[in-house]
Amino acid sequence: MPQLDVIEPALLGTDILSVVQAAPLPGLDDQPKCSLTTKRVARLISEQSVSGHVAAALWLLACDLERSHAISQLLHDPSGSYWHAIMHRREGDYSNSKYWIRQAGRHPVFSQLAHVVRQRQPELAEELANQPTASRQSNSDAAWVESLVDTVHYACTCTSARSDLMVLVGWWEWQLLFAYALQP
């Protein structure tokens, strides 16, 4: 059960909160779908009017990358591109993930995520800021998030002590982007 530690649980509303709290913590990569979460997400989406952004996020939470992808690729705005990037990162298509991060432009969640990581994991924040990807880009927050893709790729391909930390950063990212998606 993932703990909401970056956003206020009350922001989600009771029905969405119960689905989020019952879900397993999403990993770094494509993992088996959680059948209980999948059923809860399907029921929630069918019973409530949720935006495409919320639906894409909930399908990511349920580890149903195909459904998340089908929705996020139809969302032609920065948040849709960001959900699309996260989905590709989770499936292990890292270059495509970085492409979609660039398509998201200067998404406000980039700087929010960088701020959270700087506060909670300053060593990691410094490492991400100093990666070659970050130094090649003018938008430092977007470059920082793009560097995050490289770090996740490394954590997934090597036995890395950073895997647990990167799962946590991915969870913070999901929470921030989900909270942004819930804004009117």
Side-chain angles (χ1 to χ4, degrees):
M1 169 188 334
Q3 177 184 0
L4 293 171
D5 58 348
V6 176
I7 62 172
E8 281 297 316
L11 178 69
L12 277 62
T14 312
D15 294 336
I16 292 175
L17 180 61
S18 68
V19 170
V20 171
Q21 288 181 327
L25 184 65
L28 293 178
D29 52 9
D30 193 4
Q31 57 199 62
K33 294 173 186 70
C34 175
S35 60
L36 181 59
T37 304
T38 299
K39 290 175 187 173
R40 288 179 173 173
V41 167
R43 186 173 60 239
L44 178 71
I45 290 172
S46 71
E47 292 175 355
Q48 294 190 13
S49 175
V50 298
S51 72
H53 296 96
V54 170
L58 291 172
W59 286 124
L60 273 176
L61 188 66
C63 302
D64 194 327
L65 301 186
E66 291 174 21
R67 286 185 184 173
S68 180
H69 186 251
I71 295 167
S72 65
Q73 69 183 353
L74 298 175
L75 302 171
H76 303 291
D77 62 15
S79 292
S81 294
Y82 199 174
W83 287 121
H84 202 158
I86 294 170
M87 188 286 309
H88 280 298
R89 187 179 71 212
R90 290 266 309 274
E91 75 174 352
D93 187 351
Y94 303 108
S95 61
N96 210 359
S97 178
K98 291 197 277 188
Y99 168 82
W100 285 104
I101 286 170
R102 289 189 297 274
Q103 296 309 301
R106 294 182 178 269
H107 199 288
V109 170
F110 292 166
S111 60
Q112 292 172 1
L113 179 62
H115 177 75
V116 168
V117 174
R118 283 183 197 113
Q119 281 187 319
R120 297 179 181 195
Q121 294 292 329
E123 307 83 25
L124 175 62
E126 183 70 24
E127 178 185 320
L128 292 172
N130 290 325
Q131 285 189 7
T133 304
S135 63
R136 289 194 311 260
Q137 307 246 347
S138 60
N139 178 354
S140 62
D141 291 331
W144 188 91
V145 174
E146 202 171 324
S147 295
L148 180 64
V149 174
D150 293 332
T151 304
V152 168
H153 183 190
Y154 179 77
C156 287
T157 56
C158 304
T159 304
S160 170
R162 287 278 169 99
S163 294
D164 290 343
L165 176 58
M166 297 316 298
V167 166
L168 185 58
V169 171
W171 176 236
W172 295 336
E173 177 184 46
W174 186 94
Q175 290 177 72
L176 291 167
L177 189 53
F178 193 69
Y180 187 84
L182 291 172
Q183 293 177 1

